Amino acid sequence: MLEAAWLIPALPLAGFVLLVFFGRRIGEPLAGWIATSAIGGSFLATLVVFIGLVNEQPNERFFIQKAFTWVAAGTFSVDVGFLVDPLSITMCLFVTGIGTLIHLYSIGYMHGDENYARFFTYLNLFAASMLLLVLGDNLLMTFLGWEGVGACSYLLISFWFTKPENASAGKKAFVTNRVGDFGFMLATFLIFSTIGSIRYADIITAAEGGNAALTTGIATAAVALFMLAAAGKSAQIPLFVWLPDAMAGPTPVSALIHAATMVTSGVYLLVRLNPLLEVSSDNIRLLIAFIGAITGLVAALAAVVQNDIKKVLAYSTVSQLGYLFLAVGIGAYVPAMFHMITHAFFKALLFLGSGSVIHGMHDEQDMRRYGALHRFMPITAGTFIVGWLAIAGVPPFSGFWSKDEILLYAWSYDGGAPIGKVLWLIGLVTAILTAFYMTRQVILTFGGDRTRYFDAKQEEIATAFENRVQLAVEQVTVAKAGAVTAAEALEKAKADIAKREGAIGDAETKLHEAQAAVSAANEEDDGFAKLVKAFEKAEKAGPKAEDALATARQKVSEATEAVGAAEAARVSASEAVLRARTEMGQAPVVPKHVTALTPAPDVSGFEAELPDSYRERQEYHPHESPWTMTLPLVVLAGLAFAGGGLNLPFTHNLKFLENWLTPSLYGNEVHVGTSTSVKYILAVIAVCCALSAIAFAAFVYLKGRRDPATLENERLALAVDYDIALAKVMGGPGTDLFNGLARVDSDGVDGGVNGIAKLITRAGTAGRAAQSGLVRSYALGISVGAVVLVAWFLGRLFS
């Protein structure tokens, strides 16, 4: 049965190859089902190997399956081989098991994506790489998987690369992990140069006293370098900055890579090399513990002030990984693996639950826009609450058992009485913060009586009032134009009055002239009748001119009134602008810090002026996710609830995980000598602290008894500040430094080498003249040389 180990990575690798060639042609949803079947088959193969390993005696649970020789150089060779032991199979079980659930979830989550098949291609390659990492029987095989998951994380984080922020997040993860890879390579070279092998079996033998060359100093240097590698992969100080940005990828990626698999590989590497850690200095192990403890605390503080539902979980992941490094540093390898497994259960559940919320909320990720979602997503809400209680450390959920096991080992650490207590205190404070910010997340997302999703956003309110001000400004412009037009009409009307008054005078003059002409004429003259008609016409022109003057005066009156009306309209429009600007300053403000009781902004007076996005949102209905997404949630909720049963502390027989992993720890696991009463006291303290943090979060966010702004202080975001500061350094002095080094390389190193080459070329060109090919030139040269030699000998003879 153990011979089936090769199938574990081979099946997802085969799925990857199949989808590379036929994925686009196969399309949705078949490509997703093929990928899910491949990782599901890998899970079944792992179960078969697990059963085979169980049937072996504990001291014989170490099996190496050689596939073929990969590198052969003299006496040195590297095989493609698989190391099957309790540690590697434990990793394979939850990697393939949770991986299968995440693949199934992705079938529904990625529905409709234009690159659906490509996503599952990357997912299968990632799974295959992760399995190579944990099954490899030597450092080079592990490094192959190490680089494979790094490349796949880049591809998956930046999967939606058309958005610049997503592409940048992928590059950030890739570059940060390369720093850790540098440590991995140097450590591998150091191990090889010391013991002549990079096989784990040989490293373990050498660490147990089989090679005197592996001194404490060399082991310490190797562990420090491997810790650098682990810090990059598992997001610890100072290399944790990539993981929060990695939330730009699809949510299943966050669950698979950043909760259950890749980020645990650094911890796995250190646990795998536990014999090497035991040879190393106590100081380096203590450094690992403090790096983990401080990372956990800093990330937990940052999680308190996050509003993006996935960013909270991202910083929470960094924090929980800190617990694992704390455990490894103090030699608590079983609690580290125990918490790694339970964390995989509840954090994968929480990430997938957040993805279900985002899916049902039309891609909204701001928790301030949630609320009362339990009414729309009962399955998602119920399973998410299980994950919350598990990570908060509430018994009997799994997180309580594994987290408190680490705290117990920290309290009992014998490397110096105060040191263990300090580590315990940091871990306890981190646990309190975890319970607080996770309760905040649950309340803001699922608690309360109303959903804030339908509320007007601050930018929508601002847009409405900006439009109102703009409309008022436009009305002022129109009113000013009307006033100008009215004034022009008034001037025109006044000019028309002067014209009409002149016409009346002309008419009167013509009338007098016509009357005089008629009076002077003789009725018997031939032109008399014509003069009479002219008189009658002149007589009628007068009244017409007077009527026209009256009309012109009426128009002046109307134009005067129009000017007044236009001026009044201008004044009114100007007042409307002032009023609109005043109303803008008095517009409802959507609070940055919300609770379940935060009221909706009152938009009744301007609801019709809000942009279309507001009205479109009123027609949207949050909804539960399809069964392909909710089924994995239910399964993971069951595991998050019952996972603590893997290693119950009551009797030795109930410590299933510890008994199972013992052969892979070679007696290096520390054992707690604390009394039972102290254990119970520590457990009670931890539970009381967790429940108090939950109650306080409910007091603030559910009951609204305290302003959340006093707690969500931006100064808590130490991790965020560090990220920003690091970006400034790398983008400024760091860039200048590397550009300077590049110039030294090109101008100094390359310039020196190229300068020597040019010098030799010029010397050769100058010497080429002596190689003319003419015999007489050569004869002359010989003669001259002979004369010189004779002269030299004679000089020596007579000197």
Side-chain angles (χ1 to χ4, degrees):
M1 300 175 77
L2 298 179
E3 287 74 11
W6 68 275
L7 286 172
I8 298 174
L11 287 172
L13 186 61
F16 161 73
V17 173
L18 180 62
L19 292 176
V20 163
F21 289 102
F22 305 107
R24 186 174 293 275
R25 194 177 307 169
I26 293 171
E28 181 184 352
L30 186 55
W33 285 110
I34 289 174
T36 304
S37 300
I39 188 66
S42 180
F43 176 64
L44 294 177
T46 304
L47 285 177
V48 170
V49 175
F50 170 71
I51 294 171
L53 207 58
V54 169
N55 292 332
E56 299 289 336
Q57 293 298 318
N59 59 351
E60 295 179 359
R61 290 172 181 167
F62 191 94
F63 172 74
I64 295 178
Q65 182 183 44
K66 177 182 175 181
F68 57 88
T69 299
W70 180 14
V71 178
T75 58
F76 173 74
S77 66
V78 177
D79 299 330
V80 173
F82 306 112
L83 171 57
V84 178
D85 73 338
L87 179 59
S88 62
I89 293 305
T90 299
M91 292 290 296
C92 288
L93 279 171
F94 78 79
V95 167
T96 57
I98 294 178
T100 300
L101 294 174
I102 294 172
H103 275 68
L104 177 62
Y105 177 95
S106 301
I107 293 175
Y109 188 87
M110 296 302 292
H111 170 66
D113 194 283
E114 59 180 351
N115 294 309
Y116 183 89
R118 179 161 62 86
F119 177 80
F120 283 97
T121 303
Y122 293 161
L123 223 54
N124 262 189
L125 179 59
F126 174 86
S129 299
M130 186 66 195
L131 293 168
L132 283 175
L133 188 156
V134 300
L135 282 171
D137 79 323
N138 58 75
L139 288 171
L140 188 57
M141 279 291 292
T142 298
F143 190 66
L144 176 64
W146 191 275
E147 290 301 289
V149 294
C152 290
S153 69
Y154 164 72
L155 295 171
L156 288 166
I157 292 169
S158 57
F159 183 76
W160 290 319
F161 58 84
T162 52
K163 294 183 178 180
E165 60 271 22
N166 295 355
S168 296
K171 290 184 287 186
K172 187 173 185 178
F174 189 81
V175 172
T176 306
N177 275 271
R178 296 295 73 74
V179 178
D181 295 347
F182 178 71
F184 194 114
M185 290 188 292
L186 289 182
T188 301
F189 298 152
L190 179 59
I191 292 294
F192 172 70
S193 64
T194 302
I195 68 174
S197 174
I198 57 174
R199 297 173 69 244
Y200 289 121
D202 296 331
I203 296 172
I204 293 167
T205 301
E208 291 182 336
N211 193 319
L214 187 60
T215 62
T216 298
I218 291 177
T220 301
V223 169
L225 291 169
F226 279 126
M227 177 56 196
L228 176 62
K233 216 56 139 192
S234 297
Q236 296 296 289
I237 290 175
L239 301 178
F240 67 88
V241 293
W242 66 271
L243 197 146
D245 285 2
M247 297 304 104
T251 299
V253 174
S254 304
L256 181 64
I257 297 179
H258 310 126
T261 56
M262 184 182 110
V263 294
T264 64
S265 57
V267 179
Y268 163 76
L269 178 65
L270 295 178
V271 174
R272 167 61 71 198
L273 295 170
N274 66 87
L276 188 65
L277 266 70
E278 292 305 309
V279 179
S280 67
S281 166
D282 291 341
N283 292 332
I284 189 64
R285 283 177 279 160
L286 197 58
L287 176 63
I288 293 173
F290 270 101
I291 286 176
I294 294 172
T295 300
L297 179 60
V298 170
L301 288 171
V304 171
V305 299
Q306 300 302 312
N307 293 309
D308 185 315
I309 187 171
K310 288 176 65 177
K311 279 290 183 72
V312 174
L313 298 177
Y315 280 108
S316 174
T317 299
V318 175
S319 181
Q320 295 300 306
L321 289 170
Y323 269 112
L324 303 185
F325 280 88
L326 167 60
V328 170
I330 60 178
Y333 303 116
V334 171
M337 292 300 300
F338 185 24
H339 195 59
M340 181 191 296
I341 295 169
T342 60
H343 176 262
F345 293 156
F346 59 69
K347 188 53 65 67
L349 169 62
L350 291 170
F351 266 118
L352 294 185
S354 71
S356 181
V357 170
I358 295 168
H359 179 270
M361 293 296 289
H362 201 54
D363 296 331
E364 178 62 67
Q365 294 187 204
D366 192 336
M367 296 186 301
R368 294 171 296 183
R369 308 290 303 161
Y370 294 163
L373 295 186
H374 65 279
R375 296 185 299 171
F376 305 101
M377 309 172 190
I379 298 176
T380 299
T383 54
F384 199 96
I385 288 172
V386 171
W388 157 53
L389 294 174
I391 193 174
V394 176
F397 296 88
S398 61
F400 163 74
W401 306 104
S402 58
K403 173 181 63 63
D404 276 29
E405 193 84 351
I406 294 175
L407 292 177
L408 173 62
Y409 274 70
W411 178 272
S412 306
Y413 178 69
D414 61 359
I419 294 177
K421 305 306 183 287
V422 170
L423 290 172
W424 173 83
L425 182 60
I426 295 174
L428 182 65
V429 173
T430 302
I432 294 171
L433 290 170
T434 301
F436 176 81
Y437 67 68
M438 287 305 303
T439 305
R440 170 182 178 263
Q441 183 178 48
V442 169
I443 292 174
L444 292 183
T445 303
F446 300 105
D449 298 324
R450 70 177 197 87
T451 303
R452 295 179 295 277
Y453 176 75
F454 303 104
D455 296 351
K457 298 181 180 180
Q458 191 64 62
E459 56 268 26
E460 291 173 336
I461 295 174
T463 298
F465 280 90
E466 286 169 1
N467 290 342
R468 180 179 288 184
V469 170
Q470 183 61 32
L471 179 61
V473 170
E474 291 174 356
Q475 289 174 344
V476 168
T477 302
V478 171
K480 286 182 177 179
V484 171
T485 301
E488 291 175 349
L490 177 60
E491 293 300 320
K492 185 177 179 181
K494 288 180 178 179
D496 193 41
I497 285 179
K499 180 179 177 182
R500 298 306 176 187
E501 288 175 346
I504 289 176
D506 292 341
E508 290 177 351
T509 300
K510 289 181 179 180
L511 178 62
H512 291 310
E513 290 176 352
Q515 186 177 13
V518 170
S519 300
N522 192 338
E523 294 182 359
E524 295 180 358
D525 290 343
D526 294 335
F528 184 78
K530 188 175 180 181
L531 292 173
V532 170
K533 288 182 179 180
F535 172 77
E536 291 175 351
K537 183 178 179 181
E539 195 175 28
K540 293 178 180 179
K544 287 182 179 180
E546 290 177 355
D547 291 342
L549 177 61
T551 301
R553 286 174 175 164
Q554 180 63 31
K555 287 182 178 181
V556 168
S557 177
E558 292 174 353
T560 301
E561 292 178 359
V563 168
E567 181 61 23
R570 185 192 65 76
V571 172
S572 176
S574 299
E575 292 173 350
V577 170
L578 295 175
R579 188 166 54 252
R581 286 176 174 160
T582 301
E583 291 170 349
M584 174 182 278
Q586 299 171 348
V589 177
V590 179
K592 293 182 179 180
H593 307 278
V594 303
T595 69
L597 300 178
T598 299
D602 183 11
V603 298
S604 56
F606 56 94
E607 187 171 6
E609 301 173 62
L610 291 170
D612 293 338
S613 59
Y614 171 79
R615 282 180 286 278
E616 290 170 358
R617 204 163 56 252
Q618 308 313 303
E619 300 174 1
Y620 184 77
H621 300 285
H623 56 82
E624 187 60 274
S625 300
W627 74 269
T628 54
M629 295 174 66
T630 54
L631 178 59
L633 294 179
V634 173
V635 175
L636 287 169
L639 294 172
F641 174 76
L646 289 172
N647 207 57
L648 293 174
F650 304 114
T651 67
H652 183 72
N653 292 332
L654 291 178
K655 295 183 177 181
F656 303 108
L657 184 63
E658 181 177 329
N659 295 332
W660 168 250
L661 290 176
T662 295
S664 296
L665 300 178
Y666 311 101
N668 296 320
E669 167 77 0
V670 299
H671 297 284
V672 175
T674 308
S675 65
T676 302
S677 59
V678 172
K679 292 179 182 179
Y680 277 110
I681 291 173
L682 292 177
V684 169
I685 291 174
V687 172
C688 290
C689 287
L691 293 177
S692 299
I694 291 172
F696 182 61
F699 179 81
V700 175
Y701 293 99
L702 190 60
K703 300 298 183 180
R705 302 289 178 82
R706 179 170 175 173
D707 184 1
T710 60
L711 301 174
E712 299 171 13
N713 194 309
E714 293 182 358
R715 286 177 292 181
L716 294 177
L718 301 176
V720 180
D721 294 339
Y722 171 77
D723 191 356
I724 295 171
L726 184 62
K728 289 180 178 178
V729 171
M730 297 309 295
T735 300
D736 295 338
L737 173 62
F738 287 113
N739 288 338
L741 292 175
R743 285 193 294 271
V744 169
D745 180 55
S746 61
D747 299 340
V749 179
D750 292 347
V753 173
N754 294 335
I756 293 173
K758 290 178 180 178
L759 181 62
I760 294 174
T761 301
R762 290 173 181 173
T765 301
R768 188 185 304 166
Q771 303 293 326
S772 63
L774 297 176
V775 176
R776 58 187 176 187
S777 297
Y778 298 157
L780 178 62
I782 293 172
S783 301
V784 171
V787 170
V788 171
L789 287 174
V790 169
W792 182 78
F793 280 117
L794 291 175
R796 294 277 294 179
L797 182 62
F798 295 107
S799 61

